[in-house]
């Protein structure tokens, strides 16, 4: 029954998008707003990396316990109880960055990419010190040892941050893009607040509209179920 309700809610949401293009343009896809210390988990609940504070991650799916999201091209899940959701009309900026091996390690031929953030972990592949790779996220350890989750060619794995040319990552504050038809304001001090107010107002209006559509769809769904069930109970024979 819970899965049925979820499907009805998603149907109501997309019905609202279909019949109100202005809302579709405003929301497009739901995203989570990343707060401090949120880990992206793989399908087995194992930590992959920490999501950067204040950034947005697109929601691909959901169930009773988790949001299934994508960030920096990596799909995973986070607990629904620790995330807030917002509608966003465009692709949210990520934090991926091209890195290389630290010059201090140029006396080596290559550096191993690890399966887990441990020196004793299984080696996935060796990265030549002259090659580049893509930073995806951070994996801080309790002993203050920092590892990076990176992509090298088609391989994903971990490398110690001190072995890269950027041992410390700095993230710019993520500022969501405005809709093209949003009213602009010349005052820099007021623009962020107005954008936040517009987003909250839009979300409130959409919640009301969603509630109305759900109020129409859920009864219809139960009627369809009753009709379908009663139809299954009928017996037919050839004459």
């Amino acid at each position: 029954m819970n899965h049925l309700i979820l499907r009805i809610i998603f149907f109501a949401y997309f019905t609202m998008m279909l019949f109100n293009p202005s809302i579709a343009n405003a929301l497009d896809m739901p995203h989570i707003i990343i707060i401090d210390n949120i880990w992206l988990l793989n399908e087995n609940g194992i930590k992959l990396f920490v999501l950067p504070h204040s950034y947005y991650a697109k929601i691909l799916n959901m169930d009773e316990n988790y949001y299934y999201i994508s960030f920096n091209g990596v799909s995973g899940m986070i607990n629904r109880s620790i995330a807030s959701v917002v509608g966003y009309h465009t692709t949210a900026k990520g934090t991926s960055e091209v890195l290389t091996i630290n010059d201090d390690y140029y006396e080596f031929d290559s550096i191993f990419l690890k399966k887990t953030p441990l020196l004793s972990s299984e080696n996935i592949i060796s990265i030549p010190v002259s090659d580049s790779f893509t930073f995806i996220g951070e994996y801080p350890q309790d002993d203050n040892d920092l590892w990076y989750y990176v992509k090298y060619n088609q391989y994903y794995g971990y490398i110690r941050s001190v072995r890269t040319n950027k041992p410390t990552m700095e993230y710019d504050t993520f500022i969501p893009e405005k809709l093209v038809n949003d009213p602009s304001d010349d005052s820099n001090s007021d623009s962020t607040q107005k954008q936040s107010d517009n987003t909250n107002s839009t979300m409130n209006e959409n919640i009301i509209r969603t509630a109305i559509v759900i109020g129409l769809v859920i009864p219809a769904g139960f009627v369809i179920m009753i009709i379908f069930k009663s139809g299954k109970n009928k017996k037919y024979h050839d004459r």
Side-chain angles (χ1 to χ4, degrees), residues 48-60:
L48 292 176
F49 58 89
V50 175
L51 295 165
H53 174 75
S54 84
Y55 283 73
Y56 284 7
K58 183 169 70 174
I59 298 175
L60 305 176

Side-chain angles (χ1 to χ4, degrees), residues 130-141:
S130 58
D131 283 6
S132 61
F133 46 92
T134 303
F135 166 85
I136 295 175
E138 297 182 349
Y139 195 111
Q141 301 275 33

Side-chain angles (χ1 to χ4, degrees), residues 3-238:
H3 290 293
L4 175 62
I5 294 173
L6 284 174
R7 290 191 183 97
I8 292 173
I9 291 174
F10 271 113
F11 176 76
Y13 175 83
F14 287 111
T15 300
M16 182 179 66
M17 298 298 104
L18 179 65
F19 288 101
N20 197 328
S22 63
I23 297 177
N25 291 335
L27 286 181
D28 191 25
M29 288 297 294
H31 289 66
I32 64 161
I33 305 173
I34 302 168
I35 59 175
D36 283 331
N37 300 318
I38 290 188
W39 287 84
L40 183 67
L41 311 175
N42 67 10
E43 66 275 9
N44 297 316
I46 298 173
K47 295 177 179 178
L48 292 176
F49 58 89
V50 175
L51 295 165
H53 174 75
S54 84
Y55 283 73
Y56 284 7
K58 183 169 70 174
I59 298 175
L60 305 176
N61 208 337
M62 62 180 282
D63 59 24
E64 292 86 349
N65 300 311
Y66 294 98
Y67 288 121
Y68 298 90
I69 67 170
S70 176
F71 189 79
N72 278 348
V74 176
S75 297
M77 62 185 189
I78 65 166
N79 196 303
R80 287 179 56 180
S81 65
I82 59 174
S84 298
V85 179
V86 66
Y88 195 51
H89 65 284
T90 188
T91 301
K93 178 183 176 182
T95 57
S96 61
E97 185 173 341
V98 176
L99 302 180
T100 58
I101 300 296
N102 192 312
D103 290 344
D104 293 342
Y105 293 87
Y106 262 51
E107 62 185 65
F108 299 95
D109 292 329
S110 60
I111 298 292
F112 284 118
L113 186 66
K114 297 287 187 175
K115 187 174 182 179
T116 62
L118 294 170
L119 291 175
S120 59
S121 176
E122 175 185 344
N123 299 324
I124 296 178
I125 194 172
S126 59
I127 304 176
V129 294
S130 58
D131 283 6
S132 61
F133 46 92
T134 303
F135 166 85
I136 295 175
E138 297 182 349
Y139 195 111
Q141 301 275 33
D142 293 337
D143 58 1
N144 295 323
D145 192 16
L146 180 62
W147 290 72
Y148 289 162
Y149 187 67
V150 305
K151 180 182 180 182
Y152 174 67
N153 294 333
Q154 74 270 31
Y155 301 99
Y156 290 86
Y158 296 90
I159 185 171
R160 292 184 70 195
S161 64
V162 294
R163 292 180 174 173
T164 74
N165 66 320
K166 199 167 184 179
T168 303
M169 297 298 298
E170 296 181 1
Y171 307 115
D172 295 329
T173 300
F174 177 65
I175 301 176
E177 294 181 26
K178 289 185 178 181
L179 288 170
V180 176
N181 59 352
D182 274 355
S184 60
D185 187 79
D186 295 331
S187 173
N188 292 330
S189 61
D190 295 336
S191 59
T192 302
Q193 181 62 42
K194 286 190 175 182
Q195 180 176 345
S196 177
D197 292 342
N198 289 339
T199 301
N200 291 335
S201 176
T202 300
M203 288 299 294
N204 289 336
E205 292 176 2
N206 292 329
I207 289 171
I208 294 172
R209 290 188 176 95
T210 302
I212 294 172
V213 174
I214 291 173
L216 296 174
V217 171
I218 290 179
F222 281 112
V223 170
I224 293 171
M225 289 174 59
I226 293 170
I227 294 173
F228 180 74
K229 188 174 182 180
S230 63
K232 289 175 63 178
N233 293 330
K234 292 182 179 179
K235 296 181 179 181
Y236 298 89
H237 62 274
D238 294 331

